């Protein structure tokens, strides 16, 4: 198999006596969707934060594109090509949908310290923003104020902004959360095609989506990865059944 | 054209017509009031870049206003006594030239904003407010104890500084000069808000995570905004000093910071003409109510409370409705 694009090696993070991440080693290879599942409180968010750069692990390293990025902050990791979407939409709510997408395109291109030319007349940025909106199906809402979007549309916009960055890898934190069945199915179809462009590390609660999409699944329980494997392997794994799938999943 | 554009145009027209009327009827006092409005509005335009666009609640913009004022005072006082500011290692003399004074005022306030911003922007919320306030108060007490330039009593400059081709002592000429500078600052501020920098800064105010995730550091944006903001307020300080031909530590006091903030809030935070409307309303109230009662600020306080509680968009926001996203 090819060299992993994104890799964590023995990431450990403790909060007092609680080990939120316990020697987690994960990798993300080109062309794959690697899903991360686990019950609530398993430490998924903590792990995502360490991969994205919001939190520094107590020990262990994060490698991205063959480079040790453990000491780099979110901004630097984003600039290297890590495209992240948030569990709770992090968008500029007073902006139009298009402005949010243009912001992404602006981040991808250098030159934010420009003070005179109107950004919303920059053809290159607009083209990139429109392209991303079209891909997620938001092209008709370009002029809508983001605060007026439905929850599902905000999730779509999150993905669109990540797309404008043309990232080398995606880090998606529960992109399906709060989507209806239709929206979830649509996004599943979209992510299915997206993996060819850049691999996706997908944290998701929607089991249908995870089992439909993931090339590999890792199961996180109490800060530890208890199993990694294909959908079938995970389904058959007795530890996983006991720790997770057998239990009633909290909504 | 949006409704806000019409309101801005109407306000501009009013601000031109009033002094025109005052000039044609020979009321120099009204001209001076209008000049004061323009200069204070300019200070507000500076603060509005940090506060409105960047969401940085600076309670220390008096620092820049005062530095601008003292830049004028120091340069002009040395020029009027023909005593160089320093003669070693290089000779630096005072000057009575406004363009030179403005340049020094803006550079000095920008530098101060860089230092103050670099430290205070590492905090946010109440801490940011308190640290910016503390820096301004430090300068306030420093100037009180600085006898070289008048200490607590302040310093008078007997003749208004000069501008090539104008007689700045004629009220209407100084008024036009102030108006032109305010106009340029508004133009700059409008362009800034629509430029890539403005988009990113505004996004950082709304959601810093979003900006970081697209690979832009909010801290850098905010620091640059704070420096630009400080430089503009510093320029206003230099003009204000020239209007009164007097500087004093009061320019640095927290009352001044508060007043600049009141202009922005009364007029409308983040609105292009907010500081203009706010400063005009403030001076109007001071003029009208000040004649009625020495305690006119009680009414100002009540008005401010009403704006904050019931009209968050200030005067402009109430008239123009919700801000239309620039498309």
């Amino acid at each position: 198999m090819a060299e992993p694009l994104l890799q964590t090696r023995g990431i450990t993070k403790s909060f007092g006596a609680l080990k939120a991440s316990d020697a987690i080693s994960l990798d993300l290879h080109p062309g794959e969707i690697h899903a991360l599942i686990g019950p609530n409180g398993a430490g998924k968010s903590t792990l995502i934060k360490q991969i994205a750069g919001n939190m520094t692990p107590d020990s262990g390293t994060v490698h991205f594109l063959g480079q040790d990025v453990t000491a780099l902050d979110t901004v630097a990791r984003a600039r290297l090509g890590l495209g992240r979407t948030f569990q709770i939409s992090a968008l500029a709510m007073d902006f139009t949908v298009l402005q949010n997408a243009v912001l992404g395109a602006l981040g991808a291109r250098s030159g934010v310290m420009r003070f005179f030319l109107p950004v919303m007349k920059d053809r290159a940025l607009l083209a990139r923003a429109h392209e991303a909106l079209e891909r997620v199906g938001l092209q008709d809402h370009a002029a809508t104020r983001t605060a007026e979007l439905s929850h599902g549309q905000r999730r779509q916009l999150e993905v669109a902004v990540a797309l404008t960055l043309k990232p080398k890898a995606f880090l998606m934190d529960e992109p399906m959360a709060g989507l209806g069945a239709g929206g979830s199915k649509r996004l599943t179809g979209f992510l299915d095609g997206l993996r060819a462009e850049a691999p996706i590390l997908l944290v998701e609660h929607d089991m249908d989506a995870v089992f439909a999409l993931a090339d590999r699944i890792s199961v996180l329980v109490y800060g530890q990865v208890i199993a990694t494997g294909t959908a079938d392997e995970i389904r058959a794994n007795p530890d996983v059944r006991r720790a997770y799938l057998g239990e009633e999943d909290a909504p | 054209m949006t409704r806000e554009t019409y309101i801005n145009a109407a306000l501009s027209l009013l601000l031109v017509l009033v002094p025109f009327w005052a000039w044609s009827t020979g009321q120099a006092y009204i001209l001076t009031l209008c000049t004061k409005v323009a200069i204070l509005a300019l200070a507000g335009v500076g603060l509005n870049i940090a506060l409105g666009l960047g969401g940085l609640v600076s309670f220390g913009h008096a620092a820049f206003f005062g530095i601008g004022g003292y830049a004028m005072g120091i340069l002009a006082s040395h020029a009027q006594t023909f005593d160089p500011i320093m003669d070693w290692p290089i000779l630096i003399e005072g000057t009575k030239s406004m363009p030179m004074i403005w340049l020094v005022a803006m550079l000095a306030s920008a530098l101060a904003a860089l230092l103050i911003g670099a430290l205070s922007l590492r905090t946010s919320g109440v801490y940011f407010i308190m640290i910016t306030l503390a820096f301004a108060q430090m300068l306030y007490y420093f100037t009180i104890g600085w006898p070289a330039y008048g200490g607590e009593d302040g310093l008078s400059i007997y003749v208004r500084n000069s501008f090539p081709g104008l007689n700045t002592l004629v009220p209407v000429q100084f008024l036009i000069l102030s108006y032109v500078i305010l106009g340029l600052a508004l133009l700059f501020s409008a362009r800034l808000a629509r430029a890539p920098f403005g988009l990113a800064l505004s996004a950082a105010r709304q959601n810093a995570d979003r900006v970081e995730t697209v690979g832009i550091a909010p801290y850098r944006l905010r620091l640059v905004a704070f420096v630009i903001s400080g430089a503009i307020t510093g320029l206003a300080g230099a003009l204000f000093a020239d209007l009164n031909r007097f500087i004093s530590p009061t320019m640095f006091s927290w009352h001044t910071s508060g007043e600049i903030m009141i202009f922005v809030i009364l007029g409308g935070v983040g609105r292009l003409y907010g500081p203009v409307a706010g400063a005009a309303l403030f001076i109007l109230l001071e003029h009208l109510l000040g004649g009625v009662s020495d305690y006119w600020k009680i009414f100002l306080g009540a008005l401010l409370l009403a704006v904050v509680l019931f009209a968050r968009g200030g005067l402009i926001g109430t008239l123009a409705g919700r801000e239309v996203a620039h498309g």
Side-chain angles (χ1 to χ4, degrees):
Chain A
M1 211 177 236
E3 179 80 0
L5 266 178
L6 180 66
Q7 198 174 26
T8 72
R9 292 178 193 159
I11 280 191
T12 299
K13 181 84 188 174
S14 303
F15 301 105
L18 176 76
K19 267 197 174 170
S21 304
D22 191 356
I24 298 176
S25 295
L26 282 179
D27 46 22
L28 183 66
H29 293 282
E32 76 167 347
I33 293 181
H34 187 161
L36 184 68
I37 62 173
N40 283 331
K44 299 190 295 290
S45 296
T46 308
L47 179 61
I48 285 277
K49 280 180 185 159
Q50 293 172 89
I51 296 174
N54 301 91
M55 205 182 259
T56 316
D58 298 337
S59 64
T61 57
V62 180
H63 285 252
F64 182 47
L65 304 171
Q67 184 183 343
D68 185 348
V69 296
T70 318
L72 299 184
D73 63 7
T74 340
V75 174
R77 292 186 204 191
R79 294 211 72 87
L80 279 176
L82 190 61
R84 182 191 188 189
T85 70
F86 289 86
Q87 183 182 358
I88 297 161
S89 297
L91 296 163
M93 288 296 170
D94 293 338
F95 277 180
T96 61
V97 166
L98 184 61
Q99 280 177 313
N100 268 293
V102 166
L103 178 71
L106 180 65
R109 188 186 78 180
S110 58
V112 67
M113 292 298 170
R114 290 181 194 183
F115 304 103
F116 295 104
L117 293 177
V119 67
M120 298 309 285
K121 295 214 169 97
D122 188 315
R123 289 214 182 136
L125 294 180
L126 285 177
R128 199 157 175 168
H130 278 297
E131 184 200 331
L133 291 180
E134 202 156 315
R135 287 188 66 187
V136 301
L138 277 178
Q139 67 274 21
D140 296 336
H141 296 281
T144 309
R145 199 165 157 261
T146 304
E148 282 154 21
L149 289 184
S150 73
H151 179 77
Q153 288 169 325
R154 288 181 198 176
R155 317 288 335 181
Q156 285 171 286
L157 182 53
E158 278 270 330
V159 176
V161 177
L163 286 176
T164 60
L165 301 170
K166 298 205 183 348
K168 307 270 192 334
F170 288 98
L171 185 60
M172 296 193 176
D173 195 356
E174 299 199 25
M176 315 281 177
L179 290 187
S184 179
K185 204 168 170 189
R186 220 191 103 83
L187 189 56
T188 304
F190 180 73
L191 296 186
D192 196 15
L194 191 61
R195 78 179 97 192
E197 258 170 68
I200 306 170
L201 184 63
L202 179 71
V203 176
E204 189 49 68
H205 262 306
D206 181 336
M207 286 305 136
D208 291 340
V210 165
F211 283 103
L213 280 172
D215 298 291
R216 288 189 300 149
I217 300 172
S218 290
V219 184
L220 195 65
V221 177
Y222 295 123
Q224 282 182 317
V225 174
I226 60 166
T228 297
T230 63
D232 291 336
E233 285 165 9
I234 293 299
R235 270 200 202 94
N237 186 311
D239 288 340
V240 175
R241 295 184 76 91
R242 197 176 313 122
Y244 187 54
L245 292 176
E247 292 174 11
E248 191 56 40
D249 186 14
Chain B
M1 293 267 282
T2 63
R3 196 158 152 194
E4 187 170 339
T5 321
Y6 286 113
I7 290 165
N8 293 349
L11 192 60
S12 304
L13 193 65
L14 193 68
L15 282 175
V16 171
L17 287 180
V18 169
F20 186 77
W21 162 75
W23 174 71
S24 55
T25 53
Q27 302 183 72
Y29 178 64
I30 303 284
L31 287 180
T32 303
L33 274 189
C34 290
T35 313
K36 194 172 171 187
V37 167
I39 293 171
L40 294 179
L42 180 67
V45 169
L47 177 63
N48 205 21
I49 290 173
L51 178 63
L53 202 56
L56 308 170
V57 187
S58 165
F59 199 18
H61 259 52
F64 315 123
F65 195 71
I67 286 171
Y70 271 73
M72 175 284 198
I74 292 169
L75 288 169
S77 69
H78 282 277
Q80 76 186 2
T81 56
F82 300 101
D83 171 31
I85 296 172
M86 58 190 272
D87 49 18
W88 190 91
I90 45 162
L91 179 71
I92 298 179
E93 289 189 87
T95 176
K96 294 285 286 179
S97 154
M98 280 192 189
M100 193 62 205
I101 288 169
W102 297 342
L103 184 71
V104 173
M106 290 182 79
L107 285 177
S109 349
L111 185 67
L114 184 68
L115 295 175
I116 295 174
L119 291 169
S120 51
L121 284 170
R122 295 184 188 282
T123 66
S124 60
V126 176
Y127 299 100
F128 180 77
I129 297 174
M130 285 299 133
I131 289 181
T132 49
L133 170 66
F135 275 113
Q137 287 299 97
M138 259 164 60
L139 290 168
Y140 172 65
Y141 288 111
F142 175 75
T143 46
I144 283 182
W146 196 18
Y149 299 103
E152 200 171 359
D153 299 331
L155 183 66
S156 284
I157 303 298
Y158 303 110
V159 180
R160 188 169 286 154
N161 295 304
S162 60
F163 189 89
L166 293 181
N167 180 358
T168 52
L169 279 168
V170 176
V172 73
Q173 297 202 15
F174 188 58
L175 173 126
I176 290 169
L177 200 57
S178 307
Y179 268 44
V180 168
I181 291 175
L182 174 63
L184 290 174
L186 285 170
L187 202 67
F188 172 75
S189 171
R191 296 220 67 148
L192 187 77
R194 282 156 193 259
F197 178 77
L199 182 87
L201 179 64
S202 175
R205 181 193 74 232
Q206 298 170 53
N207 197 319
D209 281 338
R210 168 46 57 211
V211 175
E212 285 183 2
T213 309
V214 301
I216 303 171
Y219 177 79
R220 275 186 63 205
L221 294 171
R222 289 173 180 151
L223 186 56
V224 171
F226 200 69
V227 168
I228 294 172
S229 168
I232 294 174
T233 301
L235 176 60
L239 283 167
F240 191 74
D242 238 327
L243 174 70
N244 301 324
R245 281 167 275 162
F246 177 68
I247 57 164
S248 82
T250 314
M251 292 185 82
F252 282 106
S253 84
W254 64 271
H255 291 98
T256 306
S257 292
E259 279 181 11
I260 301 174
M261 205 185 274
I262 287 172
F263 306 148
V264 176
I265 294 170
L266 273 185
V269 177
R271 304 299 180 125
L272 179 63
Y273 267 65
V276 181
L281 188 62
F282 186 91
I283 296 300
L284 197 67
L285 288 175
E286 186 182 43
H287 185 60
L288 295 179
L289 299 175
V292 178
S293 161
D294 281 345
Y295 303 106
W296 72 277
K297 283 200 172 167
I298 291 176
F299 301 106
L300 176 74
L303 180 71
L304 197 63
L305 213 58
V307 165
V308 171
L309 287 177
F310 306 113
R312 297 294 287 270
L315 195 62
I316 301 277
T318 308
L319 294 174
R322 182 191 273 158
E323 200 162 8
V324 182
H326 316 300

